[in-house]
Amino acid sequence: MIKVFGCSHSRVFKKVNLDNYIIDCENISGATLTGLPKRISTLDVKNRIIQYLKQNKPDFLVLKFGQVDIDLSYYYKIVVKGEKINKSEYIRNLINCYRKIIVELSEYIDKEKIIIFGINPPSLIDEQACYVYTARIINANFSNVLKSKIESIEERTSFSKLFNKNLEQMCFENDIKYTCVFDEVLNSDNVVSNRFTNNNDHHLKGIETDESHFEPTNQLFQDKLESVVFMNEKQR
């Protein structure tokens, strides 16, 4: 059994198959890394994971969080809350949230069974599409402010890549398995390829809803998961 917990972007694991494994995915829309270590939070994600681990012994636990923090919460903080954010410090704080939750979960599952998936590149290519989607999600009534803060797809992609780089380093330092689907969906300009986005949703093509389907996206995630799982089996 492979158990997956993550934000809505983790629903892709409902669409993949691995030989000899059942994949059970619990995707929690709006789940953030900042809320993950909290004893009490609106979505209560940490306690949901712990309760599951108290009652079950999966072969692997996959965690996929951070997309909401980078794509949406960042703009909520600087636009709605008026915060001034240093991106590097913001990412360090997010990675520390992951570090804290791994320590807690290690009381219930062997650390070698935890797999962390990095976030995906931003999929809203043009700034207007990003503005429209973000404004709706974060309920921003400060349209001119938000419009002025929306960054180019190149800047947003670099932000996401920096998050993954820091996350991968943390996993390496703590002997946690890490992988991601990122470079595989970029074009020659190092931003998301039109093939993998509809440019109207911050999910990659095929991950927008449980019903949406795009086999190339599914295959990339299946290959990445398969590589980590079967590499672990060979090392036993």
Side-chain angles (χ1 to χ4, degrees):
M1 163 72 78
I2 298 174
K3 180 65 177 182
V4 181
F5 282 97
C7 63
S8 57
H9 296 259
S10 68
R11 68 165 60 98
V12 66
F13 293 104
K14 294 179 177 179
K15 308 164 192 278
V16 306
N17 297 286
L18 251 63
D19 290 343
N20 304 320
Y21 288 98
I22 295 172
I23 301 176
D24 181 27
C25 177
E26 194 163 332
N27 57 284
I28 304 148
S29 293
T32 63
L33 259 179
T34 51
L36 204 54
K38 294 179 180 178
R39 186 173 61 84
I40 299 175
S41 67
T42 303
L43 297 177
D44 202 28
V45 178
K46 181 179 75 173
N47 290 325
R48 288 166 71 168
I49 299 174
I50 289 174
Q51 284 303 120
Y52 173 85
L53 293 175
K54 283 181 176 179
Q55 299 169 15
N56 301 274
K57 296 186 180 299
D59 296 290
F60 294 97
L61 173 68
V62 174
L63 301 176
K64 184 168 172 52
F65 295 96
Q67 197 88 40
V68 176
D69 303 85
I70 296 296
D71 287 359
L72 299 170
S73 296
Y74 171 75
Y75 286 106
Y76 178 80
K77 289 176 180 292
I78 64 174
V79 174
V80 178
K81 300 182 75 173
E83 296 182 13
K84 293 183 178 180
I85 294 179
N86 175 283
K87 284 185 175 181
S88 295
E89 184 177 341
Y90 182 65
I91 287 174
R92 281 196 297 272
N93 290 335
L94 292 177
I95 300 303
N96 196 44
C97 290
Y98 242 136
R99 185 179 288 108
K100 288 178 180 177
I101 193 64
I102 286 171
V103 170
E104 291 194 55
L105 296 182
S106 295
E107 297 179 22
Y108 305 96
I109 187 171
D110 291 340
K111 196 167 61 170
E112 66 178 19
K113 295 183 177 181
I114 298 175
I115 302 171
I116 304 291
F117 261 80
I119 65 174
N120 311 329
S123 59
L124 292 161
I125 296 175
D126 62 80
E127 293 169 36
Q128 178 63 19
C130 185
Y131 161 70
V132 170
Y133 185 89
T134 305
R136 176 172 63 84
I137 298 298
I138 69 173
N139 296 315
N141 295 315
F142 313 93
S143 58
N144 290 332
V145 178
L146 178 59
K147 270 190 175 181
S148 70
K149 297 294 185 181
I150 294 292
E151 297 176 324
S152 68
I153 184 62
E154 290 82 8
E155 291 173 301
R156 287 181 277 126
T157 302
S158 294
F159 191 24
S160 298
K161 182 169 280 192
L162 183 61
F163 172 85
N164 279 353
K165 180 180 178 181
N166 281 263
L167 179 57
E168 183 176 16
Q169 180 63 30
M170 185 277 290
C171 289
F172 174 77
E173 292 171 355
N174 291 273
D175 295 319
I176 299 293
K177 296 175 178 63
Y178 170 87
T179 190
C180 70
V181 171
F182 200 97
D183 291 345
E184 296 82 359
V185 299
L186 302 184
N187 62 20
S188 59
D189 294 322
N190 287 316
V191 299
V192 68
S193 167
N194 285 313
R195 183 181 186 220
F196 288 98
T197 179
N198 289 317
N199 197 35
N200 61 4
D201 191 286
H202 90 130
H203 301 81
L204 291 177
K205 188 174 181 179
I207 313 179
E208 301 94 339
T209 66
D210 283 351
E211 292 73 31
S212 57
H213 184 87
F214 186 57
E215 188 55 34
T217 300
N218 300 345
Q219 190 63 54
L220 286 172
F221 280 89
Q222 179 172 308
D223 290 347
K224 291 286 186 169
L225 180 59
E226 187 175 69
S227 177
V228 176
V229 168
F230 292 134
M231 178 63 70
N232 183 81
E233 290 184 353
K234 289 179 181 179
Q235 292 174 346
R236 288 178 181 175

